[in-house]
């Protein structure tokens, strides 16, 4: 959530920076400023009315002390009281409207983010690895999976409909091994604390992360319990310290969690529907950091490096892309995507998005930090990144390391987790 005080004093800059996102949020800003101005006028009016009521009350007391009639003042006081009640109702209504409008506004892009309407304006920062030259036509992962009996997409459709996957036998084992591999790497080598969160969360948790109310249609909701299935473990990890005041000496906090992720993917029908590329349920290892404001951009580069390490150890060629203003997620001030090369489908597949949200989430969660031994409270900065997501990682692993006979030669750094050289 953006700072209303900042918007109030920088209305033009707010609209100009949001305009670069290409989402038409400038009208929301204008409505917000109009409601905010009305709210401040109401607050001033209530203060004046209360001062008048106090003055009248003192005058009534003065008259009673002199045994003088005060019916006219009592009548005036009752009228003032009714006006205060009416104005208070309007104040509460306006406060709700201002908050609701703030919740709909995306984060302001960082000045270093390239300006552009969509992915065409993204900037490739670096790449790693050289795409393999095959002596045979590389197969897509769904053909490898069928040959090796790793997953059964027909069975998944039978159980849950389209957009789901079922891993069988060695495929299920490979999935589990990849999750263990990534969790161990981030805990042992990168200093994260592992969390095993609930896979359902309250609505206020999704509001705190920025997923509600903007993306309600993308989330799976259980009305009977008013709970939401996680679209990413970020919701749980970022909200671990909601409504808390953290000592700055305890920062940064680094959390990692595995979770299944549930996304309705509304409006994406027909996009990348083959194999494992777009699913309603998929698995992910998520990284979250909570930092002091001045350290968050250093932490962003660190999270990107941690996600890159996974891909380097798995020997999968990838590129790091800095997203443009029009391609970034709702809460991000700056975001990098990690895309792996998948030779079987001949495409770059996103397996990680690493974002600095600055204080956008912290304001929604009321997450603050305080210097030692004493100092002014301020909002923390939060960051997140996939470290990384499956099953696109599995698709790239199978396609990059496939042999002509359909087997897959596993990278040496990963073999201990699978306990075999080949899948």
């Amino acid at each position: 959530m953006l700072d209303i005080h900042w918007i109030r004093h920088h209305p033009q800059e707010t609209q100009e920076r949001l305009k670069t996102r290409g989402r038409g949020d400038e009208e929301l800003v204008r409505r917000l400023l109009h409601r905010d101005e009305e709210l401040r006028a109401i607050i001033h009016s209530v203060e004046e009315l209360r001062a008048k009521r106090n003055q009248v009350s003192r005058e009534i007391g003065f008259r009673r002390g002199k045994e003088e009639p005060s019916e006219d003042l009592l009548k005036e006081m009752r009228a003032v009281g009714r006006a205060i009640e009416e104005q208070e109702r309007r104040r509460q209504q306006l406060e709700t409207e201002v908050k609701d409008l703030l919740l709909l506004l995306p984060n302001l892009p960082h000045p270093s983010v390239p300006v552009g309407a969509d992915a065409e304006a993204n900037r490739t920062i670096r790449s790693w690895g050289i795409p393999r030259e095959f002596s045979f036509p590389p197969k897509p992962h769904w053909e490898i999976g069928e040959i090796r009996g790793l997953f059964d997409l027909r069975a998944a459709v039978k159980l849950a409909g389209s957009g789901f996957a079922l891993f069988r036998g060695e495929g299920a084992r490979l999935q589990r091994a990849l999750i263990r591999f990534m969790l161990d790497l981030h805990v042992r080598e990168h200093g994260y604390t592992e969390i095993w969160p609930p896979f359902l969360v309250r609505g206020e948790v999704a509001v705190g992360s920025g997923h509600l109310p903007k993306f309600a249609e993308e989330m799976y909701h259980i009305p009977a319990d008013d709970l939401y299935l996680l679209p990413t473990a970020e919701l749980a990890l970022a909200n671990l310290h909601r409504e808390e005041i953290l000592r700055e000496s305890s920062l940064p906090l680094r959390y990692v969690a595995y979770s299944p992720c549930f996304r309705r993917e509304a409006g994406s029908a027909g996009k990348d529907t083959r194999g494992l590329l777009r699913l309603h349920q998929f698995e992910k290892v998520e990284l979250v950091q909570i930092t002091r404001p001045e350290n968050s951009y250093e932490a962003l580069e660190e999270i990107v490096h941690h996600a890159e390490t996974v891909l380097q150890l798995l020997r999968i060629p990838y590129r790091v892309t800095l997203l443009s203003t029009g391609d970034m997620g709702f809460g991000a001030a700056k975001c990098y995507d990690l895309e792996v090369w998948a030779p079987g489908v001949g495409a770059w597949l996103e397996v990680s998005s690493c974002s600095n949200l600055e204080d956008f989430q912290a304001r929604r969660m009321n997450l603050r930090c305080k210097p030692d031994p004493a100092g002014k409270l301020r909002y923390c900065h939060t960051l997140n990144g996939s470290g990384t997501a499956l099953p696109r990682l599995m698709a790239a692993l199978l396609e990059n390391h496939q042999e002509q006979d359909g087997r897959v030669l596993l990278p040496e750094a990963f073999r201990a987790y699978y306990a075999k050289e080949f899948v």
Side-chain angles (χ1 to χ4, degrees):
M1 187 163 62
L2 300 180
D3 181 0
I4 184 60
H5 301 288
W6 198 93
I7 297 174
R8 191 182 295 153
H9 291 98
H10 304 86
Q12 190 64 31
E13 183 179 350
T14 301
Q15 292 189 50
E16 288 175 356
R17 289 172 68 181
L18 288 179
K19 188 177 181 179
T20 65
R21 283 181 166 269
R23 305 185 187 197
D25 295 306
E26 308 92 279
E27 177 58 31
L28 278 179
V29 175
R30 286 191 285 270
R31 286 168 54 194
L32 171 65
L33 290 170
H34 177 73
R35 292 291 186 272
D36 179 60
E37 185 178 0
E38 187 178 353
L39 173 60
R40 284 184 290 147
I42 290 285
I43 291 172
H44 180 68
S45 174
V46 169
E47 290 174 350
E48 287 185 333
L49 287 169
R50 284 175 174 163
K52 184 175 182 180
R53 183 171 62 182
N54 291 338
Q55 180 184 352
V56 172
S57 180
R58 287 193 296 270
E59 180 64 23
I60 291 172
F62 178 76
R63 287 192 185 186
R64 284 177 175 172
K66 297 175 65 175
E67 296 185 351
E68 295 178 357
S70 58
E71 284 301 319
D72 59 329
L73 293 179
L74 287 170
K75 184 177 180 180
E76 182 180 359
M77 193 170 180
R78 285 192 290 270
V80 170
R82 287 192 296 270
I84 290 174
E85 289 179 3
E86 182 179 340
Q87 295 279 51
E88 279 292 342
R89 284 194 294 270
R90 180 57 179 161
R91 179 187 64 81
Q92 292 174 7
Q93 180 184 353
L94 285 168
E95 285 180 344
T96 299
E97 290 182 22
V98 167
K99 182 179 179 182
D100 289 346
L101 287 169
L102 281 170
L103 290 175
L104 291 174
L105 285 176
N107 206 350
L108 298 176
H110 189 268
S112 64
V113 174
V115 175
D118 51 32
E120 292 296 318
N122 293 348
R123 186 185 304 157
T124 298
I125 302 301
R126 60 182 172 272
S127 59
W128 183 94
I130 300 173
R132 175 182 166 191
E133 292 186 7
F134 289 83
S135 60
F136 58 91
K139 299 179 179 65
H141 61 277
W142 56 83
E143 290 186 15
I144 300 170
E146 185 175 353
I147 292 169
R148 306 300 297 168
L150 304 179
F151 38 85
D152 189 338
L153 301 180
R154 292 187 183 88
V157 170
K158 186 191 303 182
L159 295 174
S162 62
F164 294 88
L166 181 146
F167 295 89
R168 183 189 295 276
E170 293 298 308
R173 180 181 173 185
L174 180 59
Q175 179 96 330
R176 178 162 43 88
L178 283 168
I179 293 167
R180 286 179 49 231
F181 167 73
M182 290 187 284
L183 286 173
D184 285 350
L185 174 67
H186 296 312
V187 171
R188 295 172 183 174
E189 303 297 328
H190 299 151
Y192 288 80
T193 298
E194 184 177 353
I195 303 293
W196 195 280
F199 298 154
L200 296 99
V201 293
R202 296 174 173 176
E204 57 263 35
V205 170
V207 171
S209 69
H211 289 77
L212 288 180
K214 185 73 172 178
F215 301 106
E217 290 187 0
E218 299 293 331
M219 299 179 68
Y220 284 101
H221 182 218
I222 303 175
D225 302 299
D226 196 20
L227 293 172
Y228 292 83
L229 276 70
L230 287 180
T232 165
E234 172 200 341
L235 278 70
L237 298 181
N239 279 271
L240 276 178
H241 298 284
R242 62 179 291 115
E243 306 288 348
E244 293 184 19
I245 297 173
L246 305 175
R247 285 289 180 186
E248 289 194 3
S249 58
S250 70
L251 303 178
L253 297 175
R254 297 183 180 93
Y255 295 119
V256 60
Y258 152 77
S259 79
C261 303
F262 303 91
R263 300 182 184 181
R264 295 186 60 241
E265 297 283 4
S268 63
K271 297 180 181 178
D272 302 327
T273 55
R274 295 214 60 180
L276 306 176
L277 299 186
R278 187 174 292 274
L279 300 172
H280 294 306
Q281 176 191 322
F282 62 95
E283 282 59 47
K284 183 151 68 86
V285 171
E286 184 73 3
L287 308 173
V288 163
Q289 290 199 28
I290 302 171
T291 74
R292 293 186 295 174
E294 58 270 19
N295 296 340
S296 64
Y297 279 94
E298 178 183 348
L300 176 59
E301 301 299 325
E302 182 181 67
I303 286 181
V304 174
H305 170 68
H306 294 162
E308 285 184 83
T309 304
V310 172
L311 305 179
Q312 291 174 11
L313 291 173
L314 294 177
R315 313 303 296 174
I316 298 175
Y318 67 87
R319 65 186 183 187
V320 179
T321 302
L322 176 60
L323 300 193
S324 71
T325 53
D327 200 33
M328 282 197 307
F330 178 75
K334 185 173 183 177
C335 178
Y336 294 100
D337 271 5
L338 273 64
E339 300 171 326
V340 294
W341 175 245
V345 296
W348 293 94
L349 307 177
E350 176 205 325
V351 294
S352 177
S353 283
C354 301
S355 303
N356 185 356
L357 294 93
E358 297 185 353
D359 63 4
F360 186 80
Q361 287 181 330
R363 288 182 180 278
R364 300 167 79 105
M365 299 183 293
N366 197 25
L367 170 57
R368 295 169 291 171
C369 56
K370 185 175 183 180
D372 293 318
K376 185 178 179 181
L377 289 177
R378 53 185 183 156
Y379 288 101
C380 302
H381 280 197
T382 61
L383 305 96
N384 66 74
S386 306
T388 66
L390 294 101
R392 289 182 179 179
L393 179 69
M394 179 182 283
L397 180 71
L398 296 176
E399 293 186 12
N400 277 282
H401 299 300
Q402 63 180 291
E403 299 291 309
Q404 190 166 6
D405 62 3
R407 294 187 302 166
V408 177
L409 178 63
L410 294 176
E412 190 171 345
F414 175 66
R415 291 174 192 171
Y417 285 85
Y418 193 67
K420 284 184 178 181
E421 186 177 5
F422 288 92
V423 177

